[in-house]
Amino acid sequence: MSDESDENQTELYHFARGAFVDTDWFPGDLDENDDVVRVSEAGQFPESYYLEDGDWGAAPLVPGDDPPYEGVNLPQALYAAIHWADGDLARAIGRLPLRDLFIGVEEHEDLSRKLDALEFFRVYLYLRLTDESETDVAKNLDDAEFRDRLKVTETVSQPTLNRLGDRLTERQMRYFDRVVAQVLTAIKDSHYADQFADLPSPDTEERKPPYIKRLSRELRAEVFRHLSFDRDDSISFKRDFLLRVFVSAAIHDIHMNQACENMELKPWIGADNSVDPSNVRHQLLKFDPDTVTRMFRQANGALFDIAFEHEYFDDTNEVAIDSTDWGWYGQGDASRDIQKTKPQRNFYYSWQFTTLALVGTNTPMTMRAVPTRADTDKGTLVRRLLRYAAQVTSFNRAYLDSGFYTTDSVRALESTGTGFIIQAPDTGQKIEGLQRLAVAKESEAEAVPHGLGGIDDEKHWLFTVKSQKRSRLRQGEPDDPTDNWIIFYTNIPLDDDDVDPLELATDFRNRWGVETSYRKLKNDFLAQSGSPRLATRMFYFKFAVLMYNMWTVANVLGAEELDHDLSSENFVKANRFTRAFEDDEVTLDLADPPETLDSSWFSQGTSH
């Protein structure tokens, strides 16, 4: 190694050690008054850097190639490496011996399928410290020379970069928040400071994980109080903790007995919060469908109140009525409420729920979830759901899936005076003829008057447009060109020159946000259950809906407070939000639920 390199190493030792550990320690050929850059001039770091109980701290290192980091912890080493690399952040992070600096790296190999744990933390550190956007970082990672400097082997997409923080625990996130804040403080007066991110303000720092945790506590206090359990004196655990066990089961897609065992391992758990899985089953067995419905009406009502206060609802609301399956892998005769599924499912039987959702917003909200069967009266169901929606908010249109293309459903919609669009099935002579007409004319849309089930043809319409979704999913042209055309049924007058069928089809696509909500609900908020009891299944599904709505309200509140644009992305990711529930060391003493409901919009509805 050259003399110049030795000199640079000596200076690194000086400013990496002299200001932090022992000012009496210096290499023999230097004294503490030598004219070199010192960390103490840029900002002090603590003498040692540990989190609670000594975890996630610094480890002593063995001297090796430049830059040397013997005895230096992560923020110290990172600061020294940045100077050594003359501000080249990728090169600085790439030279950090993270496995020694960041204890327990090998325990986190599952943070990413594409990156190993060391690469994950290198990319995450770079993302937190640079002033580049996620888009620019993703472009940099496409460059092999950049990846070589950062010591990362694979490219990483922008969406993946956006989600890196969601894969850390809150404790890890707090650690990296402090590392980043201290490094940026130390670097802010250097000549290459403009290459780095702005130092977070105290207000911004407060709104990171601690803010999400505080928000989760506020919502739990307002909402969970309405979910009561008939507990006797032998039950010591608090309701808040029990309900967070349900959240844990949903996060990990496991059964309640496994979630109880997992929660027992939390370092802050106390004897008063130990939950026996048999107690959970016993509590759920006490519920009947009406009790479950009543509790969750109250709990969601508390969320609606908060949403109203923050102007979530307006005069242009639209609602969607849709159905979803929750797979059942047991025998089909285990319950009369278990139904056969649609074709192409990976299960033969399912529980079916019909939902009423607010759509067309950046943050959809589910207002009702009703268990249904094949023999459910669709007309009565639609009438009651719309009556309920009218009690919550005003709305000007309803969208329904093809399961509601029935005479009873249409007459129910007509009786409420609601404008509607229903996706029609691709069967029937008139429907097939309309599709063939559109193909033959090569038009963008075609429409004909049509009254379902004896309804006046002059009042309602069938119209067809080319389905973007179907075309996108197919690799080539279909055997029958009409397969790419989707049919709708509406009472909106298409003979009006101001009404465009293409715009109506675009509006209907807002309903597809409900399908996205179903995926989110099942993937992030719904725990596993093997129970054949309707009331138990209702509790799990309605709890998932409640958590989804709590996440929606958290996004609304956070975006309002921090002036965040929800049209671009959510304020908080779903798993980050639910982790704040699971990992909170504070268990709330929830107030008792009110004896009567103050809100008038729960006085009517279906029995479930």
Side-chain angles (χ1 to χ4, degrees), residues 136-147 154-157:
D136 291 335
V137 174
K139 290 179 180 177
N140 286 339
L141 286 165
D142 286 336
D143 180 5
E145 189 273 333
F146 177 87
R147 295 198 304 272
E154 300 289 338
T155 60
V156 184
S157 67

Side-chain angles (χ1 to χ4, degrees), residues 324-329 341 347 349-353 522 526-531 536-542:
T324 188
D325 292 329
W326 182 12
W328 168 254
Y329 298 95
T341 63
F347 41 81
Y349 300 100
S350 69
W351 302 82
Q352 188 174 79
F353 287 84
K522 293 175 183 178
L526 184 60
Q528 290 190 24
S529 173
S531 174
T536 299
R537 285 281 174 160
M538 288 176 60
F539 185 95
Y540 277 102
F541 194 86
K542 287 176 179 285

Side-chain angles (χ1 to χ4, degrees), residues 150-443:
L150 190 59
K151 287 203 167 32
V152 173
T153 57
E154 300 289 338
T155 60
V156 184
S157 67
Q158 180 185 342
T160 299
L161 291 175
N162 292 338
R163 294 191 297 267
L164 290 185
D166 295 339
R167 301 179 184 182
L168 300 177
T169 66
E170 185 167 333
R171 198 176 189 193
Q172 290 171 319
M173 185 66 77
R174 289 200 308 269
Y175 171 70
F176 280 109
D177 283 346
R178 291 201 289 264
V179 169
V180 168
Q182 292 191 42
V183 171
L184 291 177
T185 298
I187 216 78
K188 66 182 176 66
D189 293 325
S190 67
H191 65 278
Y192 36 72
D194 59 355
Q195 305 172 34
F196 291 80
D198 293 332
L199 182 67
S201 67
D203 287 344
T204 302
E205 278 298 297
E206 184 182 5
R207 288 181 174 88
K208 283 184 176 177
Y211 173 73
I212 300 302
K213 181 181 289 186
R214 187 169 69 252
L215 187 57
S216 79
R217 290 176 186 172
E218 292 172 0
L219 290 174
R220 280 154 47 201
E222 289 292 330
V223 177
F224 279 3
R225 63 186 291 250
H226 297 282
L227 305 181
S228 59
F229 295 87
D230 184 18
R231 301 178 302 162
D232 55 36
D233 294 337
S234 65
I235 303 298
S236 60
F237 54 81
K238 297 179 179 180
R239 275 188 296 149
D240 178 56
F241 183 80
L242 173 59
L243 291 167
R244 287 160 58 203
V245 176
F246 281 96
V247 176
S248 178
I251 290 172
H252 303 289
D253 190 26
I254 55 179
H255 291 273
M256 278 296 294
N257 59 330
Q258 297 167 292
C260 290
E261 294 171 357
N262 288 353
M263 292 294 278
E264 292 278 356
L265 301 177
K266 299 292 182 183
W268 42 263
I269 193 71
D272 289 343
N273 275 332
S274 178
V275 177
D276 187 330
S278 63
N279 286 333
V280 178
R281 290 190 294 271
H282 180 67
Q283 293 294 319
L284 292 176
L285 285 172
K286 294 181 179 181
F287 292 137
D288 58 53
D290 288 337
T291 301
V292 174
T293 298
R294 182 176 63 253
M295 285 194 307
F296 283 99
R297 282 181 182 175
Q298 295 179 33
N300 278 299
L303 284 173
F304 296 155
D305 287 340
I306 297 171
F308 264 114
E309 292 171 4
H310 293 268
E311 300 181 350
Y312 174 80
F313 301 101
D314 58 31
D315 294 331
T316 61
N317 296 309
E318 299 176 339
V319 298
I321 298 176
D322 211 338
S323 299
T324 188
D325 292 329
W326 182 12
W328 168 254
Y329 298 95
Q331 296 297 317
D333 58 357
S335 168
R336 63 189 293 264
D337 296 291
I338 296 172
Q339 308 293 301
K340 286 187 176 181
T341 63
K342 299 176 183 178
Q344 285 88 46
R345 292 286 196 269
N346 60 351
F347 41 81
Y348 290 109
Y349 300 100
S350 69
W351 302 82
Q352 188 174 79
F353 287 84
T354 296
T355 63
L356 170 72
L358 194 70
V359 296
T361 70
N362 295 320
T363 51
M365 200 168 190
T366 301
M367 294 188 284
R368 287 294 303 275
V370 180
T372 52
R373 298 191 299 266
D375 60 355
T376 296
D377 184 331
K378 296 292 182 65
T380 300
L381 177 62
V382 168
R383 188 176 293 106
R384 289 180 174 175
L385 289 175
L386 292 180
R387 184 187 305 158
Y388 179 84
Q391 293 171 335
V392 176
T393 184
S394 61
F395 58 94
N396 57 19
R397 189 179 293 171
Y399 304 99
L400 300 91
D401 72 6
S402 59
F404 294 92
Y405 182 72
T406 68
T407 300
D408 289 342
S409 297
V410 171
R411 293 193 182 279
L413 289 162
E414 283 282 281
S415 69
T416 63
T418 302
F420 64 82
I421 303 174
I422 305 174
Q423 181 175 338
D426 295 335
T427 58
Q429 184 177 356
K430 196 165 189 177
I431 287 174
E432 293 172 358
L434 183 61
Q435 290 173 317
R436 287 194 296 271
L437 176 65
V439 172
K441 294 176 64 175
E442 297 183 353
S443 57

Side-chain angles (χ1 to χ4, degrees), residues 19-31:
F20 300 129
V21 182
D22 182 359
T23 54
D24 294 329
W25 178 93
F26 292 102
D29 57 343
L30 291 175
D31 64 52

